[in-house]
Amino acid sequence: MSNSKLESVEVNPNQPHTAVVIWLHGLGDSGNGFAPIVPELKIPDSLPIRFVFPHAPVRPITVNNNMEMRAWYDIASLDFNHRADRTGVETSAKQVEALIDAEIANGTPAECIVLAGFSQGGVIALHLGTRINKKLAGIMALSTYMCEPETLANEACDANKNTPILMAHGQQDNVVPVFMGNAAFKVLEENGYPVTWQDYPMQHSVCLEEINHISQWLQARLG
């Protein structure tokens, strides 16, 4: 599976792009889920950004009675400490890294690439972004948590030790409770990352205030 190329939905600007955002969806969603957010970000034409929304592979999910759906990894337990299947996380991280490598090969330097993700996608963004040996423009982790936070200190690559990380979460999230996101934020902070935290009065979703904040953050990182 790790060698198969991820299919993606692409939203390209009207002129040659100078930066790329790779944005990973959540459990049961697809790359189509977040593609409509691009016009809502109101990125100015002077900053041509290419957005790539890959589809996660379809796999059975243990906690959903083995129902098959798009997922970056299996969820075998809802236990907060063991929710993410490490093997699946690593496999998906390799596939997403291949997407990053493809953008670099097409002429966009890693320093002009933001890795973003929502929920399960955010788990991959945090896992890969802290371990990849290429300096990224930024890491965005929305309504998400961290796979095996205790391993970060030993496994982190120095390439992104100074890369800005944006974490955002809904205060009423009943899928990924806000304390799980905040715990990941604190682990990143303790490990010296320049991470910022924002929460909003919403559930496991995205709100207009957050979209505006994401837009400002992306423009600051990629402008």
Side-chain angles (χ1 to χ4, degrees):
M1 188 189 287
S2 60
N3 295 325
S4 58
K5 185 177 183 300
L6 294 171
E7 298 292 317
S8 301
V9 175
E10 300 174 5
V11 181
N12 288 300
N14 296 325
Q15 53 191 310
H17 62 271
T18 57
V20 175
V21 175
I22 297 175
W23 194 317
L24 312 176
H25 64 76
L27 176 66
D29 199 0
S30 75
N32 297 300
F34 273 100
I37 211 171
V38 174
E40 293 184 50
L41 291 168
K42 297 182 170 63
I43 304 287
D45 292 340
S46 57
L47 180 54
I49 301 176
R50 164 177 158 83
F51 286 83
V52 179
F53 300 94
H55 302 300
V58 174
R59 68 183 82 224
I61 300 300
T62 304
V63 295
N64 289 350
N65 296 320
N66 287 319
M67 189 187 295
E68 295 207 342
M69 59 185 67
R70 290 197 180 278
W72 297 107
Y73 51 86
D74 186 24
I75 299 177
S77 156
L78 291 177
D79 169 32
F80 296 129
N81 296 317
H82 304 286
R83 190 174 287 196
D85 160 48
R86 174 72 187 236
T87 306
V89 168
E90 289 179 346
T91 300
S92 286
K94 285 193 182 79
Q95 289 178 294
V96 174
E97 185 169 5
L99 290 181
I100 294 172
D101 289 343
E103 296 299 331
I104 293 169
N106 286 337
T108 304
E111 294 91 348
C112 297
I113 298 175
V114 163
L115 180 58
F118 176 84
S119 198
Q120 266 208 351
V123 172
I124 304 300
L126 286 177
H127 188 85
L128 175 59
T130 51
R131 290 164 175 80
I132 194 170
N133 62 355
K134 303 168 184 80
K135 167 77 172 156
L136 301 171
I139 301 162
M140 194 165 75
L142 312 175
S143 303
T144 193
Y145 56 102
M146 193 179 284
C147 173
E148 298 185 2
E150 68 280 358
T151 63
L152 178 64
N154 289 329
E155 296 177 3
C157 178
D158 285 344
N160 287 298
K161 268 291 166 73
N162 298 311
T163 298
I165 302 175
L166 172 65
M167 293 201 69
H169 218 106
Q171 294 153 4
Q172 286 106 42
D173 193 329
N174 56 5
V175 177
V176 179
V178 67
F179 79 82
M180 290 180 71
N182 202 253
F185 164 73
K186 285 175 177 154
V187 168
L188 289 164
E189 210 174 37
E190 286 159 10
N191 280 272
Y193 288 90
V195 58
T196 53
W197 171 266
Q198 196 79 35
D199 52 48
Y200 304 91
M202 63 178 185
Q203 297 181 336
H204 194 61
S205 58
V206 180
C207 66
L208 183 59
E209 186 187 355
E210 181 182 18
I211 290 171
N212 292 338
H213 186 195
I214 288 169
S215 177
Q216 292 164 7
W217 188 84
L218 286 175
Q219 291 179 58
R221 302 284 78 75
L222 300 172

